[in-house]
């Protein structure tokens, strides 16, 4: 219990400090004693870590997925404490904006909650002069369905009911479909205020994939980054959706779990048809992600997730955020920093901090291939 409380407090602190837009952390000395400082140009490591700077220097720009923002906050803080002379600037925007920036050549890597489409890979070849963009799975975790309903602390929903809520077919909280899944709960006769992302979002696309697979009869939309259904209300970024859910009585929305944890937002348990409803936790998301298969070819490590799992304790509504890089043809002035930083994020140490912020580490077998691919970037 003490560890859980500590993690919640740390997540809360991160949420309070988070700001929209670019994250720029100044490379300052840490409070612990460090050794072997070579100004970020050699094999400097921190006494508190095994981070290798490997020639990293200067500024590295990156952008994309807001779902991984809190993970990036932790990674960048730790990395820059170990590697003086390096500044990493990750602009938390959206997966769609990140891929656009990558294919325009303005960032060293992009974060995306959905793998590159064939047309996006084709476009990337203009920037990756001798290669193409590839997907490196780096962050896993549950997409939490957050809700705010005065007098109701716990709520269970299934995929068909969620589909009807987000499709504006179920409009009241005391609808019989919701009541059936929450026997004994005092559900108010209150309008449902459903919030979705205003911009192209990989989180939106992953929600669409889940609803399309687990509620095929009730969700007829293609899984795209742009919100497809009529009605509802829009907000910018995962942080914007979470803020609206926290403020509005009767609200429901979707965002990465750390946004719910940091703001004290209640989350929906999902009835998968298994023995018991499943809570949105890092551990339960890991059980679902562990069954993922690599569907990418060559150096591309895009994953195929099972959104219809009924495995005990497996939370089915998950996402994996990819770091998008060139397999070959990366910019010479940022290549060393990209490789050094992603080597850290894919390391056992880097993956180990994810659970502190409500994420799930990438399964070890897949992560080993990520590290091998990062080492071979050129």
């Amino acid at each position: 219990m003490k560890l859980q409380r500590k993690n919640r407090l740390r997540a809360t602190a991160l949420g309070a400090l988070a700001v929209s837009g670019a994250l720029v952390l100044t490379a300052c000395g840490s409070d612990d004693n460090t050794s072997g400082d070579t100004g970020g140009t050699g094999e400097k490591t921190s006494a508190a870590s095994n981070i290798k700077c490997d020639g990293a220097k200067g500024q590295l720009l990156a952008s994309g997925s807001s779902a991984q923002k809190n993970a990036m906050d932790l990674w960048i803080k730790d990395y820059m404490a170990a590697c003086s002379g390096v500044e990493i600037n990750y602009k938390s925007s959206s997966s769609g904006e990140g891929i656009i920036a990558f294919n325009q050549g303005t960032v060293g890597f992009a974060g995306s909650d959905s793998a590159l489409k064939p047309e996006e890979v084709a476009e990337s070849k203009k920037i990756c002069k001798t290669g193409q963009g590839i997907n490196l799975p780096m962050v896993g975790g549950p997409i939490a369905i957050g809700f705010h309903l005065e007098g109701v602390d716990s709520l269970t929903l299934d995929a068909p009911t969620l589909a009807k809520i987000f499709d504006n077919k179920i409009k009241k909280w005391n609808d019989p479909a919701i009541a059936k899944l929450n026997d004994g709960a005092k559900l108010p006769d209150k309008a449902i205020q459903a919030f979705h992302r205003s911009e192209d979002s990989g989180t939106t696309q992953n929600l669409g994939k889940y609803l399309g697979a687990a509620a095929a009869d009730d969700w007829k939309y293609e899984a795209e980054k742009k919100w497809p259904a009529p009605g509802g209300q829009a907000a910018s970024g995962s942080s914007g959706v979470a803020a609206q859910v926290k403020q509005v009585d009767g609200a429901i929305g979707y965002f990465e779990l750390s946004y719910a944890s940091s703001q004290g937002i209640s989350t929906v348990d999902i009835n998968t048809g298994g023995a018991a409803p499943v809570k949105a936790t890092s551990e339960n998301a890991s059980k679902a992600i562990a069954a993922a298969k690599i569907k990418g070819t060559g150096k591309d490590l895009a994953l195929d997730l099972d959104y219809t799992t009924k495995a005990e304790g497996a939370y089915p509504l998950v996402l994996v955020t990819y770091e998008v890089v060139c397999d070959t043809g990366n910019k010479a002035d940022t290549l060393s920093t990209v490789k050094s930083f992603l080597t850290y994020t894919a390391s056992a140490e880097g993956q180990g901090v994810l659970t502190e912020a409500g994420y799930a580490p990438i399964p070890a077998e897949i992560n080993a291939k990520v590290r091998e691919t990062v080492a071979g970037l050129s």
Side-chain angles (χ1 to χ4, degrees), residues 278-352:
V278 185
K279 294 185 179 297
T281 67
S282 297
E283 180 182 5
N284 291 343
S286 293
K287 293 176 183 178
I289 296 172
K293 306 296 183 183
I294 294 175
K295 65 178 180 180
T297 58
K299 294 182 179 180
D300 184 77
L301 300 177
L303 301 179
D304 186 16
L305 299 169
D306 181 8
Y307 296 101
T308 62
T309 180
K310 293 180 175 60
E312 184 177 357
Y315 185 82
L317 182 44
V318 296
L319 62 75
V320 168
T321 295
Y322 301 95
E323 312 311 338
V324 177
V325 296
C326 298
D327 54 359
T328 63
N330 289 279
K331 293 181 179 179
D333 58 344
T334 57
L335 175 60
S336 294
T337 307
V338 168
K339 291 180 68 172
S340 173
F341 180 65
L342 296 184
T343 294
Y344 163 59
T345 64
S347 69
E349 182 179 5
Q351 291 289 298

Side-chain angles (χ1 to χ4, degrees), residues 93-111:
S93 51
S94 69
S95 298
E97 292 174 69
I99 291 173
I100 289 172
F102 178 77
N103 280 339
Q104 290 177 340
T106 59
V107 295
F109 70 89

Side-chain angles (χ1 to χ4, degrees), residues 56 97 122 135 167 189 202 234 237 252 260 279 292 294 332:
E97 292 174 69
N135 305 283
D167 198 20
D189 182 16
I252 188 169
K279 294 185 179 297
I294 294 175

Side-chain angles (χ1 to χ4, degrees), residues 103-127:
N103 280 339
Q104 290 177 340
T106 59
V107 295
F109 70 89
S112 176
D113 304 326
S114 294
L116 293 168
K117 294 180 179 180
E119 58 268 30
E120 292 169 337
V121 173
E123 185 72 14
S124 73
K125 293 179 181 180
K126 299 175 183 178
I127 297 301

Side-chain angles (χ1 to χ4, degrees), residues 11-26 62 64-74 76 88-94 236-240 243 259 262-263:
T12 300
L14 285 170
L17 291 170
V19 295
S20 61
L23 167 70
V24 181
L25 297 176
T26 305
S65 165
S66 64
Q68 72 168 355
K69 179 190 185 306
N70 292 336
M72 277 290 169
D73 284 1
L74 288 172
I76 292 173
I88 298 180
N89 181 330
Y90 182 79
K91 181 181 179 181
S92 171
S93 51
S94 69
S236 178
S238 292
S239 59
Y259 291 92
S262 65
Q263 298 187 47

Side-chain angles (χ1 to χ4, degrees), residues 230-290:
Q233 301 177 61
S236 178
S238 292
S239 59
V241 175
Q244 290 298 319
V245 171
K246 183 175 178 63
Q247 293 170 13
V248 178
D249 185 18
I252 188 169
Y254 58 94
F255 33 80
E256 194 278 323
L257 179 62
S258 67
Y259 291 92
S261 301
S262 65
Q263 298 187 47
I265 299 172
S266 298
T267 60
V268 168
D269 298 342
I270 293 184
N271 184 334
T272 64
V278 185
K279 294 185 179 297
T281 67
S282 297
E283 180 182 5
N284 291 343
S286 293
K287 293 176 183 178
I289 296 172

